[in-house]
Amino acid sequence: MLAFVIRRLGQSLLVLFAMSLLVFASVYLIGNPADILISMDADQAERARLAHAMGLDRSLPLQYAQFLWRALQGDLGQSFVHGVPAVALVFERLPATLELAAVAMAIAMGIGLPLGLWAGLKPESFAGKAIMTGSILGFSLPTFWVGLMLIMVFSVQLGWLPAGGRGPTQELLGLQLSLFSLEGWKHLLLPALNLALFKLALVTRLTRAGTREALTQDYVKFARAKGLSPARVVGVHVLKNIMVPIVTVVALEFGALVAFAAVTETIFAWPGAGKLIIESIGLLDRPVVVAYLLVVVAMFTLLNLLVDIAYSALDPRVRLGDAGA
């Protein structure tokens, strides 16, 4: 088991190094931040001084070498616009994004699991077919359009919920969260629902497919033959066995929620890391863009590593097969 973990950890470090190279090269080849940060009336000497101060006059390989050396020390550069460490700026906004993603995933799991079970247990019923049709809509509807519709209905027409912003926050374990007040939930509900829609459809379809497959297995047939109640068959034998792949996918999809929350955060003016990256791209604030992307890559890599370790602990065939390869 220890050898498996060390091997996976080494692979994760290689992935981080490769992604840092790709992210750095792709971001630093786009545009010149000096053109945005300096006045249009500035002469070439002033532009050259600014480029030197920002380190933009060095060759790309040298810039990357310096960036990598600083990154190994936890320094991902200074924001060109805000004048503060880029990674600190990202982590300052990240709790809002994590909070939004966590609530969105809770909504997706809380609604998607029961709907998927119902559709799997009664696939030919009207409700089962309606659930599957709704899941197709969840995959198909654009996030930005759904967000605008939610604002129009619940904020403009009904006036029940605010259209944007974040409610009052309280500190918990060093994180500023808005989950502890009614006003915070009012601001959180619409963007979380908008972000959850795609994942809700995914969880519903995964649960439905897993339920349909589990119902054909011998252990379920045997449980029914023993005279167990339908609720016990579903709760103990069906749901328990389909939760492993669902939880695995959900763990990886949580990283996707954090990474792709930018559209939702922009629509609802949610002050998270996604909104920060959109603003930074527009201003060519390269250190912030690179820091954000590397944080997201590290998050995905860590989630994959934890899933691999969990699978190897639950199923020894995984690490044995890996050793044989």
Side-chain angles (χ1 to χ4, degrees), residues 11-286:
Q11 293 171 352
S12 299
L13 293 176
L14 286 176
V15 169
L16 282 175
F17 171 75
M19 289 305 301
S20 71
L21 180 59
L22 290 174
V23 167
F24 184 89
S26 61
V27 170
Y28 274 67
L29 286 174
I30 300 174
N32 184 1
D35 294 336
I36 293 179
L37 299 176
I38 199 168
S39 170
M40 296 180 63
D41 300 330
D43 57 25
Q44 286 300 118
E46 291 175 320
R47 292 178 182 274
R49 282 195 296 270
L50 179 61
H52 179 73
M54 298 166 66
L56 301 176
D57 57 342
R58 303 181 182 96
S59 65
L60 193 60
L62 181 58
Q63 290 185 56
Y64 177 70
Q66 293 175 333
F67 162 78
L68 191 60
W69 174 249
R70 291 197 304 265
L72 292 174
Q73 304 173 57
D75 179 12
L76 295 179
Q78 294 279 119
S79 167
F80 294 159
V81 177
H82 302 278
V84 298
V87 70
L89 193 60
V90 172
F91 281 120
E92 179 185 333
R93 300 285 194 96
L94 197 56
T97 300
L98 292 175
E99 177 184 59
L100 180 62
V103 174
M105 188 57 76
I107 292 174
M109 292 291 290
I111 299 176
L113 278 174
L115 291 181
L117 274 175
W118 187 281
L121 295 171
K122 299 182 179 180
E124 300 303 324
S125 66
F126 174 79
K129 293 179 179 179
I131 289 170
M132 296 311 295
T133 302
S135 68
I136 295 174
L137 289 176
F139 280 121
S140 305
L141 294 176
T143 301
F144 70 89
W145 183 83
V146 174
L148 293 175
M149 292 301 103
L150 289 174
I151 291 174
M152 183 177 296
V153 173
F154 293 101
S155 298
V156 178
Q157 299 291 337
L158 299 176
W160 292 352
L161 298 170
R166 192 183 186 198
T169 62
Q170 295 182 23
E171 185 174 340
L172 177 66
L173 301 176
L175 303 177
Q176 293 293 331
L177 303 176
S178 60
L179 298 171
F180 307 107
S181 66
L182 180 60
E183 189 65 24
W185 275 100
K186 286 182 178 180
H187 285 82
L188 181 59
L189 192 56
L190 284 186
L193 185 60
N194 183 55
L195 190 60
L197 185 61
F198 184 89
K199 306 307 176 187
L200 193 157
L202 177 63
V203 171
T204 299
R205 298 185 75 86
L206 284 173
T207 307
R208 192 257 187 192
T211 302
R212 297 301 300 157
E213 182 180 357
L215 291 175
T216 64
Q217 301 300 312
D218 291 338
Y219 60 84
V220 173
K221 295 178 181 178
F222 182 69
R224 285 174 169 171
K226 288 196 304 182
L228 297 181
S229 65
R232 184 169 178 79
V233 171
V234 172
V236 176
H237 296 280
V238 174
L239 188 59
K240 182 180 178 180
N241 284 279
I242 69 174
M243 282 305 294
V244 173
I246 292 175
V247 169
T248 301
V249 172
V250 166
L252 298 178
E253 288 296 321
F254 181 78
L257 277 180
V258 174
F260 303 116
V263 174
T264 296
E265 291 184 359
T266 301
I267 292 172
F268 291 93
W270 186 263
K275 189 170 183 292
L276 172 67
I277 189 64
I278 296 297
E279 296 170 350
S280 300
I281 290 173
L283 296 172
L284 288 182
D285 196 350
R286 290 172 173 175

Side-chain angles (χ1 to χ4, degrees), residues 1-7 308-314 316 319:
M1 181 65 180
L2 181 60
F4 176 84
V5 173
I6 293 175
R7 186 164 51 251
D308 283 342
I309 294 173
Y311 254 96
S312 66
L314 294 172
R319 58 178 182 270

